[in-house]
Amino acid sequence: MFHTEQCAIAPCSILFYVEHSADERVLFIGERKVGYILKVEERGIRDQTSQFVLCGNYTQLRSASRAATSPMKSSSTPGHYLRQIILTICIVLLGITVQAQSSGSQPGSIPESPQPSGQTNPPPAPTTSDNFFVRLANFYHQDWHPAPSNSTASAPTPARRGLPSPLDSPPFPNADWSYGGSPTIGEPDTASYPLMTAINNARSRTKFYGWLEPSLNFSTSSTINAPEANDVYSNRFELSQAVLYIERLPDSVQRAHVDWGFHVTALYGADYRFTTAKGYFSHQWLVLHRQYGFDPALEYFDLYLPRIGQGTNIRVGRFISVPGVEAQLAPNNYIFSHSLLYSIDPFTDTGILSTTKINDQWLIQLGLTGGHDVALWTPDARPSLTACVSYTTLSVNDNLYICANGINSGKYAFNNLQQYDATWYHRFSKSLHAASEAWYMYERDVPSISGPIKPETGANPAWCLVDEVRCTAPEYAAASSLQMELSPHSFVSFRADFLDDKKGQRTGYATRYSENTIMWGHWIGSTIQLRPELRFERAWDRKAFDNGRRQNQLTIATDLIYHF
């Protein structure tokens, strides 16, 4: 007997089978012979009757033994000829579909269901017959103009090992409470990107993707907004980031075998100065002070070991300095501009870092690096210890992440900061949460601004006491932001920030700072993000803005992130 199939798309939904003989294939609908079938290659089918079910562009191929049937005499009515035309079109479509699917599935198999991509309203992959530019255009069109969702048919949720995600992403940059130096252990890689869809319909685990981020700001300062970041140049439209990622994430959901991954980042734009590490093309900023430059900001290899704890990831290479709410790459942040706390702390480290998931609530990290923002082959590199612990409550309403980062003797070298950092995330509800961070940092034997010792190129001296040639330069900071989700595509955020640069070694001015920012984040589909903001900051002890000419600074700014 024939199987009844439910077709989701039915412009030519038919149920038919083909009888084979030595020299002909005859098409039947039910028990009714309707004519000879156009040639379609039934791969792997020999002397069995083949039964096809065609539902739009979704084809199932089944084989079933069937006794010969007695064909009925066909009619010659106009309706008969119309049916013949329709059936001919459907058979041609069937041949195209079978041929296209044969490259991606085994003969006689049912194609796998599409997997959710981690994007809101993920667009379906175009057919392989389209060229690169058609697939790219289709991705954006379907992302910006998604079809109405079908509440009765949804893709299954991919396997996840661990606590549920506390947040929605989008609109927030992350769905989980973030930690640095590792992919989220137990989280499947379901992300879909326009460029990879255009290249190969997103079939490979190695992915190419990135974004363009132009930005615009208006400021009461006339020349420079420092220590504000990343819109450091006043009253200017600029390209902040043009970034290309090449990465493969290890499969950390499974615990059956060792897996691996890698990541390479190419960053160009005005923001390269904030990721610059001495020894990595650093002359562009440290010597030449170019507004625009290139930085290979991240390059590392990941090795996933499933049997250590509930999974361990070992990362080797150059990676983002692990603690903190914010990060260097634009899409990873709530707000376009960065807190003062972030603007002067370490950016990248080079070394090795292990991340072990003890259970669903506890995670520990231990690493050895060459210090902050330096390549291992520079004289400023120092063997430095990083140790972190993360705890999440079973309700996922709270997460505490504490790190000792880049710890060594603390003696003065390029960005040889000794950092002790704590972050706390608290979720009031699915749509409202807070992200808070505080740190204490210091560096010993920093040359005095009035002394005879020349400071490191690209690093500031300290405002030591009058009779001191060197001194210890400490600083501490705290920042907290409150985020509210307004819709699946938008949220608002408010941030309060305090920094005390006690010896002025990080900003150039020994003063206390405060900063308050309010912003609105809005997504168009899952590929364009807009983040306008209003920001006010004050230097409490001396004029520290606009090269020491202003004590207050007001900026209105926005960026636009275009993902590809």
Side-chain angles (χ1 to χ4, degrees):
M1 297 296 294
F2 287 100
H3 297 278
T4 301
E5 300 290 340
Q6 180 66 38
C7 293
I9 307 172
C12 62
S13 296
I14 58 175
L15 182 64
F16 61 91
Y17 70 98
V18 182
E19 285 192 351
H20 294 255
S21 67
D23 57 357
E24 68 176 10
R25 293 183 176 89
V26 183
L27 177 65
F28 289 77
I29 296 182
E31 300 291 328
R32 182 179 179 84
K33 177 180 176 181
V34 295
Y36 293 96
I37 190 170
L38 297 177
K39 182 177 180 180
V40 177
E41 183 179 359
E42 296 85 28
R43 301 177 184 273
I45 304 300
R46 293 296 181 263
D47 298 327
Q48 302 296 323
T49 297
S50 298
Q51 175 179 320
F52 293 78
V53 180
L54 178 64
C55 298
N57 63 355
Y58 178 69
T59 306
Q60 295 179 341
L61 175 60
R62 294 189 177 128
S63 297
S65 297
R66 182 176 178 87
T69 58
S70 300
M72 297 179 63
K73 186 176 180 180
S74 60
S75 171
S76 298
T77 63
H80 164 74
Y81 292 110
L82 178 61
R83 288 195 298 272
Q84 290 287 85
I85 293 172
I86 294 174
L87 288 171
T88 300
I89 295 172
C90 289
I91 298 305
V92 172
L93 292 176
L94 173 67
I96 295 172
T97 307
V98 170
Q99 182 66 32
Q101 289 186 344
S102 66
S103 62
S105 60
Q106 295 298 319
S109 65
I110 299 176
E112 295 180 359
S113 298
Q115 296 297 313
S117 65
Q119 307 272 357
T120 300
N121 299 319
T127 62
T128 56
S129 61
D130 294 334
N131 62 40
F132 175 94
F133 297 102
V134 171
R135 289 193 293 268
L136 188 65
N138 285 346
F139 189 106
Y140 284 114
H141 176 76
Q142 295 178 44
D143 184 60
W144 300 337
H145 306 283
S149 61
N150 185 355
S151 59
T152 61
S154 59
T157 302
R160 174 186 172 93
R161 184 166 58 84
L163 298 172
S165 296
L167 306 175
D168 294 325
S169 178
F172 299 125
N174 297 299
D176 296 286
W177 306 132
S178 59
Y179 51 87
S182 170
T184 302
I185 296 175
E187 177 77 16
D189 178 17
T190 59
S192 175
Y193 303 105
L195 183 58
M196 285 309 300
T197 299
I199 292 173
N200 66 0
N201 279 308
R203 288 195 180 100
S204 62
R205 287 181 62 186
T206 298
K207 300 180 180 182
F208 294 70
Y209 65 101
W211 61 88
L212 301 174
E213 185 205 14
S215 65
L216 174 68
N217 81 87
F218 301 97
S219 173
T220 55
S221 294
S222 59
T223 57
I224 193 167
N225 293 334
E228 181 178 336
N230 284 356
D231 52 335
V232 66
Y233 298 104
S234 303
N235 304 301
R236 196 171 296 190
F237 175 81
E238 62 189 9
L239 177 63
S240 296
Q241 296 182 9
V243 175
L244 175 65
Y245 276 0
I246 307 174
E247 75 173 11
R248 180 188 194 271
L249 295 180
D251 180 1
S252 64
V253 177
Q254 56 81 29
R255 298 189 63 198
H257 60 83
V258 173
D259 204 2
W260 59 275
F262 70 92
H263 180 102
V264 176
T265 293
L267 183 153
Y268 178 82
D271 287 1
Y272 88 101
R273 61 179 284 172
F274 297 105
T275 63
T276 292
K278 190 173 183 180
Y280 292 99
F281 304 100
S282 54
H283 65 286
Q284 298 171 93
W285 173 246
L286 299 183
V287 178
L288 302 177
H289 299 288
R290 290 175 175 167
Q291 178 184 354
Y292 289 98
F294 167 79
D295 183 38
L298 307 172
E299 53 276 337
Y300 54 77
F301 175 81
D302 282 335
L303 181 65
Y304 170 67
L305 305 173
R307 299 298 184 182
I308 301 179
Q310 291 192 4
T312 293
N313 188 80
I314 298 177
R315 177 163 291 180
V316 181
R318 184 185 178 198
F319 45 84
I320 290 177
S321 191
V322 290
V325 172
E326 300 168 73
Q328 287 81 349
L329 289 312
N332 298 339
N333 301 284
Y334 295 114
I335 299 175
F336 160 50
S337 69
H338 286 284
S339 65
L340 296 168
L341 170 147
Y342 163 85
S343 301
I344 64 169
D345 71 3
F347 295 140
T348 64
D349 297 336
T350 302
I352 182 170
L353 180 74
S354 69
T355 303
T356 300
K357 182 178 181 178
I358 304 301
N359 54 41
D360 287 347
Q361 294 180 263
W362 289 93
L363 178 140
I364 59 173
Q365 295 178 300
L366 189 65
L368 183 65
T369 70
H372 301 307
D373 301 312
V374 294
L376 297 180
W377 49 86
T378 65
D380 295 85
R382 306 282 190 275
S384 305
L385 176 70
T386 293
C388 304
V389 59
S390 174
Y391 172 75
T392 303
T393 59
L394 283 174
S395 65
V396 298
N397 286 336
D398 292 276
N399 171 266
L400 185 63
Y401 184 39
I402 299 174
C403 288
N405 188 29
I407 306 305
N408 54 47
S409 66
K411 190 172 181 179
Y412 180 72
F414 185 83
N415 276 10
N416 191 32
L417 298 165
Q418 311 301 289
Q419 183 187 33
Y420 298 89
D421 185 283
T423 61
W424 174 44
Y425 294 95
H426 177 69
R427 184 180 70 166
F428 300 96
S429 67
K430 187 72 171 179
S431 61
L432 181 67
H433 73 277
S436 304
E437 180 181 1
W439 54 242
Y440 172 75
M441 301 192 306
Y442 71 91
E443 195 169 359
R444 297 192 306 108
D445 296 338
V446 180
S448 173
I449 194 170
S450 58
I453 303 174
K454 185 179 179 180
E456 283 272 347
T457 300
N460 293 323
W463 292 80
C464 303
L465 297 177
V466 176
D467 58 346
E468 290 181 318
V469 177
R470 294 178 181 268
C471 63
T472 297
E475 48 274 331
Y476 62 87
S480 185
S481 61
L482 184 68
Q483 288 71 227
M484 174 178 286
E485 180 177 347
L486 303 178
S487 75
H489 292 278
S490 64
F491 72 99
V492 292
S493 179
F494 173 78
R495 181 179 64 210
D497 181 21
F498 178 82
L499 165 67
D500 189 354
D501 190 4
K502 296 185 74 66
K503 296 297 179 69
Q505 199 267 330
R506 300 304 296 161
T507 66
Y509 298 92
T511 182
R512 297 168 296 163
Y513 298 86
S514 65
E515 170 259 327
N516 298 101
T517 301
I518 187 168
M519 65 80 66
W520 172 61
H522 180 70
W523 287 86
I524 300 174
S526 61
T527 51
I528 294 180
Q529 188 179 12
L530 187 67
R531 300 185 296 184
E533 67 175 50
L534 176 66
R535 172 175 175 142
F536 177 78
E537 49 205 320
R538 177 175 175 81
W540 290 91
D541 302 313
R542 66 182 68 226
K543 294 180 179 180
F545 294 104
D546 204 12
N547 284 328
R549 291 191 290 266
R550 297 178 182 273
Q551 201 160 357
N552 301 321
Q553 181 172 267
L554 177 69
T555 54
I556 301 173
T558 188
D559 71 341
L560 184 147
I561 305 173
Y562 185 93
H563 296 262
F564 58 82

